[in-house]
């Protein structure tokens, strides 16, 4: 196309060769989402190395009327950072914006560019005896910008909150190419509108985050990790409630998985260490931390653990006696996604409900799925303490997952509707991307959707930044999946 | 005016007598701000008792082209909830929206209407053995809606965060009268835009908050309260840093005041208990809490307290041995505003800076004030741990405070400019209201102000909700003060 050619010429004359790729072979890895569900072409993939370059590139795209797809580490699960069907698009990937600009142990802040890998940020914090307050499975490859744009959750939300709570300031390139410098690192500022909130969790639909100031936390000095075996979800909930009542924010993680998840691990992950000699229906992984290096966490927890066993809330329990045992317990929880993938995948869901209704929600969904989709198995796991469960449905042998994913299906409806009915959400941490646009339209009322559209139009009137994500637009068609 | 008469007739025919006052005598208390700096008339003061009534009233005001001033407990310090000069306005006061709709010890949430008094909410939380995560001087009269609309801070921000961090969901009447029901009580929800963030801290310029879901926290079981006497701000900072490194989020408060503040207390508050036999230049009030009922907080802190004394970081220290002693220490910090008022008032400022620059900031401001305004005294106090200081300037005898407040003055410029230069803010927790509009215009860049105006126009195109607050509008004049 002539238009593409003009754009390519403008690119090559304005930017260094390291700042873009145009040919298909080099573009391909950036066009496909992590789950390999979406695969649409881009005109080019750009790699700016400075905020000014991002601004220049956005202006160039606007000039050539090309939509922009902001992209980080490509670990998202809802295809929010890859092109959609049917629009000429350019990917702006932030991996070369990878400087830690400043780290400060007095103010407990780090200022870093959006392409910094999460693990790199964690290591920088550790080096000055601080905690970077976000930890999740993809931390080895996800980028800070992506964690902010998706308001990432992970395993420490219970204690530290989601990414939104960690962000003190942002630098953003707006859809018209202007740079907003909101890189403040204050704990308090009330000036009538907290502009950074617009960009956090917006999945790249409001602008491109180029840098952020993030709070750091003191490093815990003691850790106690336990795995409790329980009969059913209500016992898992009771275990969580009693331990949180005792420990408050010192209870940094409370994760849930079931016998089905454990079976997937045993079948597909070599050397899975079985936690108990008996089989149990469900498991709760709990981790308690203390900043007090003289704290005796086991002594603090012993009475409540004894009561949990005496009251038969917990069937059996192991407490990690070493860092290796701790990692082995975590492997059980963190290996489930991988095991599920190795087993052929599942229909994934990411709901949250008020924790008190977790047992009745699981019960309702289980019996309904059994009725409408016999032979399908539930693999429920996730962040029990946040009410956030991944209610994944494993199809029987012979059923193709891509068939399930093509168009809406009664299984997903069952899971999502039950979550909404319970006062919950169909999207707890993964976001909307292009895979959940229809759900958002289905489940949220017209006032809320209208507010969202009004803000989007105000910030991005020509709908150029990440079109087809989050909100549908009159001029675009989008499929649930390719 | 004919217009007023028509509106009055519509009011009386649509609402019960308890829902409005029209005559001047009854309106007066609602028209004057807490600091008695602003006093402008309203056409009427409305008292809706349901969300639907708020919606009906907003629509009625829109129909009659009357601007709306949302109002809570009227304890704000920047005249954000009283009328501005020169526009026909109606006050909608939320005091009759005062139901606690639901409180839940399993999910740790409370759902309450915006007119509930903060202290009532605190007491409801205490009754189920939970903490309501906001505490501030005006808690006996401020309302929940106001604390959300102003993103209130207070004495526990260090540990729990500001009001923004506590809000799980909101119900809001929009400027066009539509009701947005976002009363969710989830810990996690990512749907591309977190609409509630628009209203939190917007000082009533985006809509009227009618109800909220707020998170509750476990109740601390042990408390240790200490007052440290120090030579200078850098020693105060060092004290804070060492204790926070040890205690993290268990350090729930770190407050600062000086010999000047103590002198105001001694002179104006009867029975002020002197904390030390000697006089010291500055004081740090620290409070550490634990959820662990068996915790020995003094034993945990003793080594660091001893080192602070041995290193001469702290000159002297008292540790409260009883609840009465604890309250006496808190009275020193919390009585300062009252003592300052009793002494004739001061030019108030509400800055925040990164904590590491607190000493150099105080030094710079002190020497500059001494130069440009000899005879004026600094009374610096506030939330040291958040970097948020109230740098109040007490004029010498014979200087009228209202003269100082009329128009801009070099003293305020000195304080605010130094804060901005240090990477800080001129508005940490009080907000903009109508008193700081000029400062916002002066100190923030055109990109940020343009974003704020764009969002405001998108949500409130006819600029009907709380005009003259936060942002100036082309069609309105506003004075810094009356």
């Amino acid at each position: 196309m002539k238009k593409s050619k003009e754009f390519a010429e403008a690119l090559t004359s304005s930017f260094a060769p390291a700042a873009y790729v145009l040919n298909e072979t080099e573009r391909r890895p950036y066009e496909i989402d992590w789950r390999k569900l979406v695969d649409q072409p881009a005109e080019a993939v750009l790699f700016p190395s400075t905020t000014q370059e991002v601004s220049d590139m956005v202006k160039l795209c606007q000039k050539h009327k090309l939509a922009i797809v902001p992209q980080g580490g490509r670990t998202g699960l809802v295809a929010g950072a890859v092109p959609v069907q049917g629009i000429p698009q350019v990917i702006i990937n932030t991996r070369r914006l990878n400087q830690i600009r400043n780290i400060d142990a007095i103010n407990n802040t780090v200022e870093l560019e959006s392409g910094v890998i999460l693990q790199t940020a964690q290591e920088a914090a550790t080096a000055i005896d601080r905690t970077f307050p976000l930890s999740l499975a993809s931390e080895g490859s996800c980028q800070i910008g992506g964690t902010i744009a998706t308001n990432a959750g992970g395993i420490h939300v219970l204690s530290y909150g989601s990414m939104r709570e960690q962000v003190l300031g942002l630098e953003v390139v707006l859809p018209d190419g202007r740079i907003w410098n909101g890189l403040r690192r204050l704990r308090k500022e009330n000036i009538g509108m907290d502009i950074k909130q617009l960009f956090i969790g917006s999945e790249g639909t409001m602008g491109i985050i180029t840098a952020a100031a993030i709070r750091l936390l003191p490093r815990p000095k003691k850790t106690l990790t336990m795995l409790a075996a329980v009969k059913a979800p209500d016992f898992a909930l009771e275990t969580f409630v009693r331990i949180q009542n005792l420990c408050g924010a010192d209870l940094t993680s409370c994760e849930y998985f079931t016998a089905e998840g454990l079976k997937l691990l045993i079948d597909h992950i070599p050397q899975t260490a079985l936690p108990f000699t008996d089989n149990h229906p469900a498991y709760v992984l709990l981790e308690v931390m203390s900043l007090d290096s003289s704290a005796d966490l086991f002594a603090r927890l012993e009475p409540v653990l004894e009561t949990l066993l005496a009251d038969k809330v917990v069937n059996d329990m192991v407490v990690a006696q070493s860092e290796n045992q701790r990692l082995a317990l975590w492997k059980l929880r963190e290996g489930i996604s991988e095991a599920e993938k190795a087993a052929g995948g599942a229909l994934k869901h990411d709901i949250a409900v008020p924790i008190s209704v977790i047992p009745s929600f699981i019960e309702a969904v289980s019996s309904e799925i059994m009725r409408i989709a016999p032979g399908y198995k539930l693999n429920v796991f996730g962040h029990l303490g946040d009410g956030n469960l991944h209610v994944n449905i494993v199809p029987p042998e012979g059923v193709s997952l891509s068939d399930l994913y093509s168009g809406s299906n009664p299984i997903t409806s069952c899971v999502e509707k039950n979550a909404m009915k319970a006062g919950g959400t169909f999207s707890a941490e993964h976001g909307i991307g292009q895979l959940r646009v229809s759900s958002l339209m289905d489940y949220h009322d017209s006032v809320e959707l209208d507010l969202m559209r009004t803000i989007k139009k105000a910030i991005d009137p020509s709908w150029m930044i990440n079109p087809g994500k989050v909100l549908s637009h009159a001029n675009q068609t989008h499929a649930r999946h390719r």
Side-chain angles (χ1 to χ4, degrees), chain A residues 291-370:
Chain A
L291 293 161
D292 180 1
S293 55
S294 67
D296 184 344
L297 287 175
F298 185 71
R300 181 171 168 195
L301 277 134
E302 204 177 8
V304 75
L305 300 182
E306 276 175 5
T307 318
L308 284 166
L309 287 163
D311 293 351
K312 298 203 163 39
V313 174
V314 167
N315 287 355
D316 203 351
M317 175 165 284
V318 288
V319 176
Q321 302 295 328
S322 67
E323 181 62 13
N324 277 344
Q325 287 184 13
R326 176 179 170 265
L327 293 176
L329 291 181
W330 270 107
K331 252 178 125 171
L332 297 174
R333 165 61 185 88
E334 294 201 320
I336 290 175
S337 282
E338 197 190 329
E340 195 183 73
K341 203 175 180 180
L347 201 53
K348 283 176 185 284
H349 306 100
D350 169 44
I351 64 92
V353 293
I355 60 163
S356 62
V357 301
I358 286 176
S360 59
F361 166 80
I362 292 178
E363 173 59 35
V365 169
S366 304
S367 64
E368 212 169 307
I369 294 286
M370 219 184 297

Side-chain angles (χ1 to χ4, degrees), chain A residues 21 36 67 112 185 192-193 218 279 327 365 417 432 463 467 473:
Chain A
V21 298
K36 301 198 188 338
L112 70 189
R185 50 186 184 133
M193 212 177 294
N279 291 320
L327 293 176
V365 169
K417 278 188 184 159
I432 304 298
W463 217 278
H473 182 254

Side-chain angles (χ1 to χ4, degrees), chain A residues 227-244 251 254-258 280-286 304-305 307-317 355-363 384-385 389:
Chain A
L227 186 72
V230 295
K231 270 193 287 288
D234 50 343
F235 293 95
L237 178 63
E238 178 71 18
T239 304
F240 164 68
V241 167
R242 291 200 197 177
I243 293 182
Q244 199 190 37
L251 175 61
C254 178
E255 301 290 313
Y256 177 81
F257 58 96
T258 67
H280 300 275
Y283 303 91
V284 190
L285 179 65
L286 300 132
V304 75
L305 300 182
T307 318
L308 284 166
L309 287 163
D311 293 351
K312 298 203 163 39
V313 174
V314 167
N315 287 355
D316 203 351
M317 175 165 284
I355 60 163
S356 62
V357 301
I358 286 176
S360 59
F361 166 80
I362 292 178
E363 173 59 35
L384 178 78
L389 296 176

Side-chain angles (χ1 to χ4, degrees), chain A residues 423-446:
Chain A
T425 179
F426 67 94
S427 179
E429 59 176 7
H430 296 168
I432 304 298
Q434 47 183 311
L435 299 191
R436 299 267 183 239
V437 177
S438 312
S439 297
L440 181 63
M441 303 303 130
D442 288 350
Y443 297 122
H444 282 265
D445 72 15
S446 60

Side-chain angles (χ1 to χ4, degrees), chain A residues 347-349 351 361 364-374 376 378 391-393 395 399-419 421 436 439 442-443 480-481:
Chain A
L347 201 53
K348 283 176 185 284
H349 306 100
I351 64 92
F361 166 80
V365 169
S366 304
S367 64
E368 212 169 307
I369 294 286
M370 219 184 297
R371 191 165 52 74
I372 64 173
Y376 286 67
L378 268 73
V391 182
N392 294 355
I393 316 290
V399 174
S400 138
L401 201 61
S402 57
D403 284 354
L404 278 179
Y405 265 113
S406 63
S408 83
N409 71 70
I411 297 174
T412 293
S413 289
C414 161
V415 175
E416 293 184 346
K417 278 188 184 159
N418 273 288
K421 209 169 67 184
R436 299 267 183 239
S439 297
D442 288 350
Y443 297 122
R480 240 173 216 260
H481 303 271

Side-chain angles (χ1 to χ4, degrees), chain A residues 18-192:
Chain A
Y20 56 86
V21 298
L22 285 160
N23 78 70
E24 196 186 332
T25 319
E26 289 179 278
R27 273 176 7 224
R28 286 284 293 157
Y30 300 95
E31 294 171 346
I32 305 169
D33 85 301
W34 187 82
R35 293 173 66 190
K36 301 198 188 338
L37 292 169
V38 174
D39 178 3
Q40 295 294 333
E43 303 284 318
V45 186
L46 312 187
F47 304 99
S49 64
T50 64
T51 303
Q52 188 56 52
E53 261 186 6
V54 177
S55 167
D56 295 341
M57 287 169 172
V58 167
K59 284 177 184 166
L60 190 69
C61 290
Q62 284 279 13
K63 191 180 155 194
H64 289 264
K65 299 207 185 321
L66 290 164
I68 294 161
V69 182
Q71 187 178 78
R74 305 191 312 282
T75 61
L77 298 174
V78 289
V82 291
V84 293
Q85 201 175 357
I87 320 169
Q89 285 147 104
V90 170
I91 294 168
I92 298 187
N93 182 297
T94 50
R95 71 166 160 77
R96 291 176 74 217
L97 291 163
N98 60 2
Q99 300 302 303
I100 295 182
R101 294 185 185 169
N102 175 279
I103 186 161
D104 180 336
I106 301 290
N107 293 301
N108 284 311
T109 52
V110 58
E111 191 185 312
L112 70 189
E113 293 179 352
S114 53
V116 171
I117 301 293
L118 174 53
Q119 194 174 312
T120 308
Q122 292 168 340
E123 287 162 2
T126 306
I128 60 162
D129 196 31
R130 293 293 180 271
T131 296
F132 190 92
L134 183 75
S135 178
L136 38 78
S138 61
E139 60 199 22
S141 50
C142 73
Q143 297 175 9
I144 293 300
T147 64
I148 297 169
T150 60
N151 185 28
I155 58 168
H156 289 147
V157 173
L158 201 54
S159 186
Y160 307 150
S162 294
M163 198 58 185
R164 186 179 299 279
E165 278 76 60
Q166 321 311 328
V167 179
L168 301 174
L170 286 182
E171 180 188 85
V172 178
V173 173
L174 302 175
D176 59 10
R178 285 181 302 167
I179 298 167
W180 171 56
N181 185 347
L183 261 186
R184 303 187 285 258
R185 50 186 184 133
L186 302 167
R187 303 296 154 150
K188 283 163 104 173
E189 183 178 54
N190 278 340
I191 56 167

